[in-house]
Amino acid sequence: MSSGNTVVNGPQEGVNNRSHICIFRRPWRWGLAMFPDIQNSARSSCHLCNLVEQVILALVDGKLLDVTGRVNKNCKSLADLEVIRLDEDGQLQLNIGLSRFIIQLFRDIEDETNFTVEGYSFPAMSRFEAGTKSDRTFRNAEQWLRQCLTTHKCGDIFPSRLPKRLLDIQGDHVQLLETTGIEAPYVCLSHRWGGNEHRQMFSTVATVHEHMKGISWSNLPKTFQDAVTICRRLKVNYLWIDALCILQDSNADFAEENSAMAKIYQNCYFSISADISTNMESGIFSSWPAAAVSYPAKVRDDSGNIATVYARGETVHEETPTDLETRGWTFQEFLLPPRVLHFNHFDITWRCQESHACECGYVTDEANGRYPSWRDSLAKVARPLAQKLDFQWWATVVHHYTVRKLSNQHDKLPALSGLAQLYHTATGDTYRAGLWEGSLSHDLCWFYGVNFRVGHTHSNPPARRVTEFRAPSWSWASTDILEDVECLFWSPECLDILRPVCYIRRVVCLPKTKDPTGEVDPNCYIEMEATLIPAVITSGRGPAVPWTLGAIENGFLIGTGGSACWPDCGMEDDDMKIGDTVYCAPILKGRDYLGYARSCLILKHLGAQKYRRIGFCLLVWPQPGNDAWLYESRTNDTVDFNSNNFDTITIL
């Protein structure tokens, strides 16, 4: 069957002169009409029903590429197709078999002619063309950029500090240069490197001088070529790409540039997010048959003129993270820039500190009523200047970051260095391997919980401890999360009564390189005075919780009915077995939803007074209020202690 772009000839008078009543203008009822009813109405010269008939036939014929696969699978007969309704916002709802489909009808936003069909007015939207390299795409990008620069306060055009190196892309050449004496806007690229099975390009000690003489267009990987094209279309002369602007085989150059990562992204004009790119050679732009994405249907309007109405499948920006959004390095690249231009599968998205929009209209500010996605929530973290930076903000950052993957296990701290620099600048706090000295008691209380929203059955322990030193055991950076697990921090409901029940005497954690928020020296430890409560490792509740605690001294119980025990990883990673003795070291006391609880690090004794963290738990008394084991100050947040109750320990 073929739909074509048929226009049913009918009377050209205004809609008020029609003798028939359009199906879509009848009193609404569930299951408005079957497809044969639409066809009969179209044959009776109803132009709106003729339009709907064209769209349905195009859908079934495979001319609406984004939803046709599902339709062909479900539609055995057009007679079974049910038209539910045509909403005021242009959404045509169909039932095909057991599936419901939504087709968006609209007029081109760049067509200033407004028209009605049977009294129905279509919303004005941007239609998709043959991929995200079209002139229309760049007109939209220019409009968003201009609006931000003229009406928002999202950052200066001319940065106070430039990166050490930039790509000069003026004219028809590409050349790496040192930025001494340059004062100009630049753009950053956020992209996936991919594996070495794809063509790659780096600046090294050996190649940097050649790159400063010039880089031929044919030698640039496709993703880099596309980034240059975007910059030139938007009239920007300088581009920063990590692989080319940092010497990849120089630890000293990497540490120097990584220590400035926050400023590099914060000071950029905007960043390009290559959302669908999977490697340096895969490119940034998408490519679609234009008519398949925005199908044009001709219809006679109420003035008797031939107008074009466009149809496309319901556009919902995929909630599943793209490949780029699963990588550790790209997390801070998402959060730090003042403006980000995302290149998606079928359109582009704009995000700045005051706006979030896309070409299809699905992504809007929350004020317009759409339920916020996880990207909206994460974007709020990217606006730190509008909120107070504190331990809760950092906990949110760590929560989102730790689920991402890294190709090099030693990048765990360097890949978060830019956000750590931002936090340090705002608070003046001292960084300690992913934790902060000013909120150390809170930051120590991290644990790995099952992400029940995913709905998967766990078959693995929550995390793996890295084989080579990367961070001390008391830092979340010492482990890598496995599937369906998230890093959380204990936050009792009543933070006003949260108080420390240990005394941290000293923290030693020095940077390994010139980057103060990057890799750390192996000689890291915390020296504290705390009460050690012996317990025994017992069998856990399944693979996700490989072990728990029993026989806890002094009558303590695991909180929340015995479920508040969270191992850091499997027993084999920490050389533990069922029946081993471990120690609970209380850090904070506060009111949880079941009453008072003490957050404790679970420690393995290494000998002398040295210990290693292997988990986290909440301890409660069977009878609330019995605090005989420890005398706590009731007047302030400091702790008075009897030396008989505390041990001086070192946690490595």
Side-chain angles (χ1 to χ4, degrees):
M1 65 189 72
S2 177
S3 61
N5 285 344
T6 305
V7 179
V8 173
N9 293 318
Q12 298 185 12
E13 300 85 2
V15 66
N16 293 329
N17 294 328
R18 299 288 176 82
S19 60
H20 70 277
I21 300 177
C22 173
I23 284 178
F24 296 99
R25 290 305 181 190
R26 296 173 186 173
W28 184 86
R29 59 185 173 83
W30 183 259
L32 184 64
M34 304 302 290
F35 181 68
D37 299 327
I38 299 295
Q39 288 184 305
N40 291 335
S41 181
R43 300 299 178 266
S44 299
S45 299
C46 176
H47 299 315
L48 187 58
C49 290
N50 170 246
L51 170 65
V52 172
E53 178 188 20
Q54 290 183 64
V55 170
I56 291 174
L57 291 174
L59 178 68
V60 177
D61 280 353
K63 296 178 180 178
L64 283 173
L65 188 63
D66 41 353
V67 294
T68 296
R70 291 174 55 203
V71 174
N72 286 340
K73 183 178 179 180
N74 289 277
C75 187
K76 298 180 179 179
S77 171
L78 281 172
D80 298 329
L81 188 150
E82 186 178 27
V83 179
I84 301 299
R85 65 185 303 174
L86 177 61
D87 293 338
E88 292 183 359
D89 57 3
Q91 290 192 342
L92 177 65
Q93 300 184 30
L94 308 174
N95 267 358
I96 304 176
L98 299 177
S99 300
R100 171 165 294 190
F101 299 88
I102 297 178
I103 307 300
Q104 180 69 60
L105 304 182
F106 61 98
R107 62 182 178 86
D108 189 350
I109 197 170
E110 294 190 357
D111 184 354
E112 297 181 357
T113 303
N114 198 355
F115 58 87
T116 59
V117 179
E118 305 292 344
Y120 188 93
S121 180
F122 296 91
M125 294 183 175
S126 180
R127 64 181 176 88
F128 303 149
E129 296 186 347
T132 52
K133 194 180 179 180
S134 68
D135 291 341
R136 179 186 294 262
T137 291
F138 284 103
R139 287 197 297 271
N140 289 330
E142 288 173 342
Q143 179 182 350
W144 288 327
L145 182 59
R146 182 168 55 252
Q147 180 184 29
C148 180
L149 295 176
T150 56
T151 64
H152 298 170
K153 297 179 180 179
C154 296
D156 296 330
I157 300 177
F158 293 96
S160 58
R161 176 182 174 181
L162 290 173
K164 184 177 180 179
R165 302 179 189 91
L166 286 172
L167 292 171
D168 183 346
I169 58 173
Q170 298 179 76
D172 58 358
H173 79 288
V174 177
Q175 179 182 4
L176 186 68
L177 53 76
E178 302 279 351
T179 57
T180 304
I182 297 176
E183 184 176 335
Y186 65 92
V187 167
C188 288
L189 173 64
S190 179
H191 69 108
R192 276 226 59 193
W193 288 18
N196 55 18
E197 67 272 18
H198 306 286
R199 188 160 71 102
Q200 296 181 324
M201 188 177 199
F202 304 103
S203 287
T204 64
V205 173
T207 63
V208 63
H209 296 295
E210 288 299 317
H211 290 171
M212 295 183 73
K213 294 177 182 178
I215 304 172
S216 68
W217 185 258
S218 60
N219 285 339
L220 279 176
K222 186 65 169 62
T223 300
F224 296 176
Q225 291 179 355
D226 289 350
V228 171
T229 298
I230 294 167
C231 290
R232 287 174 174 169
R233 290 292 300 267
L234 296 176
K235 301 177 176 61
V236 182
N237 294 329
Y238 298 98
L239 173 63
W240 188 88
I241 301 177
D242 52 2
L244 295 179
C245 296
I246 300 176
L247 304 186
Q248 298 301 317
D249 60 347
S250 170
N251 292 335
D253 193 71
F254 175 83
E256 179 182 355
E257 292 303 283
N258 203 53
S259 67
M261 200 60 68
K263 292 299 182 183
I264 289 175
Y265 279 97
Q266 282 183 300
N267 287 339
C268 72
Y269 191 32
F270 64 87
S271 73
I272 300 166
S273 184
D275 287 4
I276 65 172
S277 179
T278 57
N279 57 76
M280 292 185 188
E281 191 60 27
S282 61
I284 296 176
F285 301 119
S286 64
S287 179
W288 295 87
V293 181
S294 296
Y295 177 77
K298 301 294 184 181
V299 64
R300 194 177 300 280
D301 66 19
D302 292 335
S303 297
N305 300 315
I306 302 301
T308 302
V309 175
Y310 293 91
R312 64 175 175 235
E314 183 184 22
T315 53
V316 178
H317 285 260
E318 184 61 53
E319 286 298 287
T320 303
T322 65
D323 193 48
L324 187 75
E325 291 168 328
T326 66
R327 310 307 301 176
W329 276 103
T330 61
F331 179 66
Q332 61 184 10
E333 296 167 10
F334 178 94
L335 294 177
L336 288 171
R339 308 169 192 90
V340 182
L341 193 57
H342 295 268
F343 282 77
N344 310 312
H345 285 285
F346 54 84
D347 71 348
I348 61 171
T349 300
W350 170 267
R351 180 170 52 83
C352 65
Q353 295 183 12
E354 297 188 27
S355 179
H356 196 187
C358 69
E359 290 183 288
C360 74
Y362 176 77
V363 175
T364 58
D365 291 329
E366 292 179 34
N368 291 343
R370 181 179 59 81
Y371 188 78
S373 70
W374 67 267
R375 290 186 182 89
D376 295 315
S377 301
L378 184 57
K380 287 184 176 181
V381 181
R383 304 173 186 178
L385 297 181
Q387 59 182 299
K388 180 182 178 182
L389 292 193
D390 55 16
F391 65 87
Q392 291 176 320
W393 182 86
W394 184 253
T396 302
V397 167
V398 172
H399 170 77
H400 287 288
Y401 173 69
T402 47
V403 299
R404 297 194 173 213
K405 307 300 181 185
L406 292 162
S407 299
N408 183 349
Q409 69 167 20
H410 294 292
D411 287 345
K412 193 78 166 187
L413 291 171
L416 195 63
S417 180
L419 288 170
Q421 295 159 30
L422 175 69
Y423 189 89
H424 169 73
T425 300
T427 65
D429 207 344
T430 302
Y431 196 54
R432 300 299 190 188
L435 287 64
W436 294 94
E437 197 163 297
S439 56
L440 193 56
S441 294
H442 172 273
D443 291 0
L444 286 169
C445 295
W446 56 270
F447 62 95
Y448 293 143
V450 176
N451 185 351
F452 292 104
R453 295 186 298 273
V454 178
H456 294 169
T457 300
H458 252 283
S459 59
N460 295 304
R464 295 287 188 193
R465 201 172 298 280
V466 294
T467 55
E468 298 180 18
F469 177 85
R470 185 173 68 193
S473 68
W474 40 266
S475 169
W476 49 264
S478 64
T479 58
D480 287 325
I481 281 181
L482 300 181
E483 59 178 348
D484 307 342
V485 174
E486 52 191 356
C487 184
L488 305 170
F489 290 79
W490 185 57
S491 296
E493 293 179 352
C494 302
L495 290 174
D496 57 317
I497 61 169
L498 190 69
R499 57 170 55 87
V501 289
C502 69
Y503 177 64
I504 298 175
R505 299 179 60 177
R506 182 165 56 164
V507 183
V508 174
C509 189
L510 299 176
K512 184 179 179 180
T513 67
K514 291 182 179 180
D515 181 4
T517 52
E519 292 186 77
V520 294
D521 187 86
N523 186 31
C524 294
Y525 62 88
I526 290 178
E527 186 179 291
M528 69 165 62
E529 298 190 25
T531 299
L532 293 182
I533 305 169
V536 174
I537 296 286
T538 61
S539 297
R541 306 186 305 275
V545 186
W547 54 263
T548 186
L549 298 180
I552 306 172
E553 197 171 279
N554 297 329
F556 279 104
L557 299 176
I558 296 293
T560 60
S563 63
C565 178
W566 297 276
D568 291 347
C569 49
M571 286 188 290
E572 64 280 3
D573 284 8
D574 287 318
D575 194 22
M576 302 294 296
K577 62 182 184 300
I578 300 298
D580 283 353
T581 298
V582 294
Y583 298 87
C584 301
I587 304 298
L588 292 172
K589 177 183 176 182
R591 184 185 294 276
D592 210 337
Y593 64 94
L594 291 179
Y596 283 97
R598 291 163 181 81
S599 62
C600 303
L601 304 187
I602 304 175
L603 304 175
K604 175 183 178 179
H605 189 206
L606 302 178
Q609 294 300 311
K610 295 180 180 180
Y611 295 81
R612 182 171 70 230
R613 171 181 161 141
I614 60 171
F616 178 80
C617 70
L618 299 180
L619 293 185
V620 297
W621 280 96
Q623 295 180 348
N626 183 2
D627 293 331
W629 69 280
L630 178 65
Y631 172 74
E632 300 177 17
S633 169
R634 298 294 179 180
T635 58
N636 55 49
D637 287 337
T638 61
V639 58
D640 295 325
F641 59 89
N642 186 320
S643 60
N644 293 328
N645 294 332
F646 280 79
D647 293 289
T648 300
I649 62 174
T650 299
I651 307 176
L652 304 180

